[in-house]
Amino acid sequence: MPHTWGATRDAWAHWSTTLGLTEDLLPVVSNPHAEISPDSKLVMLGKVPSDYNFRRQVRGLPGWTQRTPGQREIDGWAQEPDYGICLQTRNVKALDIDIANPRLAKREHTHIESLQPWHVFPARTRPDSGKCLLLFKGPLPTKRVIPVEGGIIEWLSTGQQCVVEGTHPGGQRYTWAAGRPNGIEE
């Protein structure tokens, strides 16, 4: 059985079928030991939409912002244990708390949630960092970057993406603080 660097088949089914996000999902090669194709412009694995070419080398997905996959593509990607799940932020937006210090990151996370006390943000984390990704639905016309103590908070909107399942390039798996979301609130 190969090591699963990416998302499980259950994870693909959850994001695609349960959450209804099929058209917003793309693969991202999460295996930190994979070889980048010399023909690719990729400089780092595990951060942008990517897949394997016929030589099993990683390449970026050209035109990914225009892609709207169907269930057949999702089913194919779910067969590859190195493919994590990349979410295009078209219907679901994200706040990326890009602060490594866990104390400072938690302070910003708490502050954001205090501004929306009726809203529970699904929160993606990883064990070796304070960095956190919060998902929500709603209007957000463009990407914004807010400098804060210890880092930045990025508002990811249409034309951006985030990784929701798989392994971070540093080797730690992404996790969801309260388990995978069963829904994403407006």
Side-chain angles (χ1 to χ4, degrees):
M1 182 96 177
H3 181 80
T4 302
W5 293 103
T8 64
R9 291 178 188 178
D10 286 345
W12 281 99
H14 182 83
W15 289 93
S16 176
T17 306
T18 304
L19 295 178
L21 295 171
T22 300
E23 293 182 346
D24 293 335
L25 303 180
L26 294 170
V28 56
V29 177
S30 295
N31 181 342
H33 308 294
E35 177 187 355
I36 296 175
S37 169
D39 301 326
S40 178
K41 294 178 184 174
L42 278 180
V43 293
M44 175 185 254
L45 296 170
K47 291 287 194 170
V48 297
S50 53
D51 66 359
Y52 285 119
N53 65 17
F54 69 96
R55 292 186 187 101
R56 198 155 175 84
Q57 296 171 325
V58 184
R59 62 183 180 184
L61 290 179
W64 66 263
T65 59
Q66 306 306 313
R67 298 272 304 256
T68 53
Q71 193 60 51
R72 189 174 183 175
E73 284 180 290
I74 299 296
D75 293 343
W77 294 330
Q79 304 300 313
E80 172 54 61
D82 283 356
Y83 288 173
I85 301 173
C86 194
L87 173 68
Q88 297 185 68
T89 51
R90 291 191 278 225
N91 297 302
V92 173
K93 310 301 185 195
L95 287 171
D96 188 7
I97 301 173
D98 200 0
I99 304 169
N101 180 300
R103 184 184 58 78
L104 295 176
K106 180 65 176 167
R107 182 179 73 188
E108 294 298 336
H109 185 172
T110 301
H111 176 71
I112 290 166
E113 288 195 331
S114 75
L115 298 173
Q116 306 283 323
W118 61 90
H119 185 86
V120 177
F121 290 94
R124 188 214 68 202
T125 61
R126 61 179 211 269
D128 63 342
S129 178
K131 295 180 180 187
C132 179
L133 182 82
L134 308 175
L135 298 179
F136 65 97
K137 287 184 179 175
L140 184 60
T142 60
K143 177 180 176 170
R144 295 186 183 136
V145 177
I146 303 167
V148 294
E149 183 181 357
I152 60 172
I153 297 174
E154 289 183 271
W155 294 59
L156 303 178
S157 188
T158 303
Q160 274 87 45
Q161 49 75 32
C162 56
V163 178
V164 295
E165 296 278 346
T167 302
H168 182 270
Q172 292 287 331
R173 289 206 52 92
Y174 293 113
T175 58
W176 289 90
R180 280 186 199 110
N182 289 319
I184 300 169
E185 296 180 34
E186 192 75 33

